Amino acid sequence: MTPLQTEAERRENAVILRVTGEVDSYTAPLLHDHLAEVFTEAAGRAVVLDMTGVSFLASSGLSVLVEYHTRGVDEGTPLRVVAPAGSVLRALRATTLNEMIELYGTVSEALAG
């Protein structure tokens, strides 16, 4: 198992949360906690969740994404997920969450909205 690591970067129009490692039932609560902090800090700006470095995304991680997508809609803080390829994109497509959550190929594209 690859431990979950996160790094937040503040921009004028967004807060970027870069995530690396695996998001499974053990690490999904950590992702949840980091997203909670970032959403509070973003206060109406976009939250860009860069999952380029995520090697595995379990259903528990998908649940966190759905929760924060919904929170973003409710609060006017869009969640933009960067998932260019790999297991994250496959999981999002397999569950059709790619039709609900805003997906981008790069952080630059997500920042441009």
Side-chain angles (χ1 to χ4, degrees):
M1 181 174 96
T2 307
L4 185 74
Q5 297 180 339
T6 63
E7 176 187 343
E9 178 184 343
R10 289 110 187 117
R11 298 277 183 101
E12 186 176 319
N13 63 337
V15 179
I16 303 166
L17 182 64
R18 290 184 175 83
V19 181
T20 57
E22 297 180 358
V23 182
D24 56 23
S25 60
Y26 296 105
T27 60
L30 295 171
L31 177 61
H32 185 279
D33 292 347
H34 288 288
L35 278 170
E37 291 174 20
V38 168
F39 263 77
T40 300
E41 184 178 331
R45 295 179 288 162
V47 171
V48 175
L49 180 60
D50 183 2
M51 300 190 78
T52 304
V54 173
S55 57
F56 178 75
L57 180 62
S59 60
S60 52
L62 293 169
S63 295
V64 172
L65 295 182
V66 170
E67 178 181 344
Y68 278 92
H69 165 76
T70 303
R71 178 176 171 179
V73 170
D74 291 345
E75 295 179 2
T77 303
L79 175 63
R80 300 175 184 164
V81 177
V82 178
S87 64
V88 172
L89 187 58
R90 282 192 302 276
L92 290 166
R93 285 181 176 160
T95 57
T96 67
L97 289 176
N98 62 309
E99 296 174 12
M100 179 176 75
I101 295 173
E102 294 182 63
L103 297 181
Y104 296 87
T106 66
V107 170
S108 297
E109 289 172 5
L111 288 170

